[in-house]
Amino acid sequence: MEEFIQGVGIVGLVVLALVGLAAGWIASTVAGGRHRGRYMIIGLLAALATPLLLLALGVTVLAASGLVAMVVAALIGAAVVLFLAKLIFD
């Protein structure tokens, strides 16, 4: 975990958090504005967990590619998790 935080940095974590919050806000808008807080929290957690999960699985290309690749991976991970959350909650 420490290696992940050192590799990404505080600014990177803030960017990942903002990406997750934005993905959650967009998902709640698509869902008709219901459960906005729930979707934003799920998006935040998914965006922060996706790069960490990929790193644990041994996908080191994210760290080598930089923050842009990590943000793209976080956005895709948040979208997938939010889609699953929409299926469960709605």
Side-chain angles (χ1 to χ4, degrees), residues 11-60:
V11 174
L13 288 176
V14 170
V15 169
L16 291 176
L18 291 175
V19 165
L21 289 172
W25 182 75
I26 291 170
S28 72
T29 303
V30 169
R34 298 183 313 254
H35 312 296
R36 186 172 309 263
R38 181 185 301 165
Y39 282 120
M40 290 177 75
I41 290 171
I42 291 170
L44 171 72
L45 294 175
L48 291 174
T50 301
L52 184 62
L53 178 67
L54 290 174
L55 184 66
L57 291 174
V59 181
T60 58

Side-chain angles (χ1 to χ4, degrees), residues 19 23 46-47 50-51 54 69-83:
V19 165
T50 301
L54 290 174
M70 212 169 289
V71 167
V72 169
L75 185 60
I76 292 170
V80 169
V81 171
L82 285 166
F83 175 75

